[in-house]
mmCIF file of all heavy atoms in Angstrom:
data_model
loop_
_atom_site.group_PDB
_atom_site.id
_atom_site.type_symbol
_atom_site.label_atom_id
_atom_site.label_comp_id
_atom_site.label_asym_id
_atom_site.label_seq_id
_atom_site.Cartn_x
_atom_site.Cartn_y
_atom_site.Cartn_z
ATOM 1 N N ALA Q 461 10.454 -48.337 -45.380
ATOM 2 C CA ALA Q 461 10.863 -47.235 -46.265
ATOM 3 C C ALA Q 461 10.113 -45.952 -45.936
ATOM 4 O O ALA Q 461 10.088 -45.009 -46.730
ATOM 5 C CB ALA Q 461 10.622 -47.630 -47.722
ATOM 6 N N GLN Q 462 9.458 -45.934 -44.759
ATOM 7 C CA GLN Q 462 8.646 -44.764 -44.399
ATOM 8 C C GLN Q 462 9.051 -44.178 -43.040
ATOM 9 O O GLN Q 462 9.534 -44.900 -42.167
ATOM 10 C CB GLN Q 462 7.159 -45.169 -44.315
ATOM 11 C CG GLN Q 462 6.572 -45.622 -45.637
ATOM 12 C CD GLN Q 462 5.228 -46.329 -45.443
ATOM 13 O OE1 GLN Q 462 4.609 -46.232 -44.386
ATOM 14 N NE2 GLN Q 462 4.803 -47.046 -46.466
ATOM 15 N N GLY Q 463 8.791 -42.869 -42.885
ATOM 16 C CA GLY Q 463 8.913 -42.200 -41.588
ATOM 17 C C GLY Q 463 10.259 -42.411 -40.910
ATOM 18 O O GLY Q 463 11.304 -42.544 -41.547
ATOM 19 N N ASP Q 464 10.218 -42.472 -39.566
ATOM 20 C CA ASP Q 464 11.437 -42.586 -38.763
ATOM 21 C C ASP Q 464 12.217 -43.862 -39.073
ATOM 22 O O ASP Q 464 13.449 -43.885 -38.954
ATOM 23 C CB ASP Q 464 11.090 -42.582 -37.259
ATOM 24 C CG ASP Q 464 10.680 -41.197 -36.756
ATOM 25 O OD1 ASP Q 464 10.634 -40.254 -37.579
ATOM 26 O OD2 ASP Q 464 10.422 -41.060 -35.547
ATOM 27 N N LEU Q 465 11.500 -44.943 -39.451
ATOM 28 C CA LEU Q 465 12.170 -46.239 -39.664
ATOM 29 C C LEU Q 465 13.289 -46.133 -40.694
ATOM 30 O O LEU Q 465 14.270 -46.869 -40.629
ATOM 31 C CB LEU Q 465 11.166 -47.305 -40.124
ATOM 32 C CG LEU Q 465 10.038 -47.695 -39.182
ATOM 33 C CD1 LEU Q 465 9.303 -48.941 -39.688
ATOM 34 C CD2 LEU Q 465 10.536 -47.953 -37.772
ATOM 35 N N ARG Q 466 13.164 -45.209 -41.653
ATOM 36 C CA ARG Q 466 14.202 -45.045 -42.695
ATOM 37 C C ARG Q 466 15.548 -44.696 -42.083
ATOM 38 O O ARG Q 466 16.589 -44.918 -42.687
ATOM 39 C CB ARG Q 466 13.820 -43.910 -43.661
ATOM 40 C CG ARG Q 466 12.651 -44.222 -44.551
ATOM 41 C CD ARG Q 466 12.207 -42.974 -45.267
ATOM 42 N NE ARG Q 466 11.723 -41.971 -44.311
ATOM 43 C CZ ARG Q 466 11.590 -40.680 -44.568
ATOM 44 N NH1 ARG Q 466 11.938 -40.198 -45.733
ATOM 45 N NH2 ARG Q 466 11.127 -39.850 -43.632
ATOM 46 N N PHE Q 467 15.532 -44.089 -40.903
ATOM 47 C CA PHE Q 467 16.770 -43.592 -40.290
ATOM 48 C C PHE Q 467 17.318 -44.528 -39.224
ATOM 49 O O PHE Q 467 18.417 -44.327 -38.733
ATOM 50 C CB PHE Q 467 16.513 -42.205 -39.669
ATOM 51 C CG PHE Q 467 16.218 -41.145 -40.697
ATOM 52 C CD1 PHE Q 467 14.947 -41.013 -41.228
ATOM 53 C CD2 PHE Q 467 17.220 -40.294 -41.145
ATOM 54 C CE1 PHE Q 467 14.669 -40.039 -42.183
ATOM 55 C CE2 PHE Q 467 16.956 -39.325 -42.081
ATOM 56 C CZ PHE Q 467 15.676 -39.197 -42.613
ATOM 57 N N GLU Q 468 16.527 -45.531 -38.836
ATOM 58 C CA GLU Q 468 16.942 -46.404 -37.733
ATOM 59 C C GLU Q 468 17.752 -47.591 -38.270
ATOM 60 O O GLU Q 468 17.649 -47.952 -39.440
ATOM 61 C CB GLU Q 468 15.703 -46.867 -36.944
ATOM 62 C CG GLU Q 468 15.049 -45.684 -36.237
ATOM 63 C CD GLU Q 468 13.851 -46.054 -35.386
ATOM 64 O OE1 GLU Q 468 12.794 -46.396 -35.965
ATOM 65 O OE2 GLU Q 468 13.945 -45.992 -34.166
ATOM 66 N N PRO Q 469 18.604 -48.201 -37.401
ATOM 67 C CA PRO Q 469 19.485 -49.268 -37.895
ATOM 68 C C PRO Q 469 18.684 -50.470 -38.408
ATOM 69 O O PRO Q 469 17.799 -50.966 -37.697
ATOM 70 C CB PRO Q 469 20.307 -49.667 -36.665
ATOM 71 C CG PRO Q 469 19.869 -48.816 -35.539
ATOM 72 C CD PRO Q 469 18.759 -47.929 -35.963
ATOM 73 N N ALA Q 470 19.007 -50.934 -39.604
ATOM 74 C CA ALA Q 470 18.264 -52.053 -40.210
ATOM 75 C C ALA Q 470 18.281 -53.275 -39.289
ATOM 76 O O ALA Q 470 17.274 -53.981 -39.155
ATOM 77 C CB ALA Q 470 18.868 -52.390 -41.575
ATOM 78 N N GLY Q 471 19.417 -53.507 -38.622
ATOM 79 C CA GLY Q 471 19.558 -54.686 -37.757
ATOM 80 C C GLY Q 471 18.693 -54.628 -36.511
ATOM 81 O O GLY Q 471 18.555 -55.632 -35.803
ATOM 82 N N ALA Q 472 18.135 -53.451 -36.228
ATOM 83 C CA ALA Q 472 17.253 -53.323 -35.058
ATOM 84 C C ALA Q 472 15.797 -53.511 -35.459
ATOM 85 O O ALA Q 472 14.926 -53.576 -34.594
ATOM 86 C CB ALA Q 472 17.434 -51.950 -34.414
#
Side-chain angles (χ1 to χ4, degrees):
Q462 296 166 16
D464 287 2
L465 297 191
R466 290 170 296 162
F467 293 82
E468 294 182 289

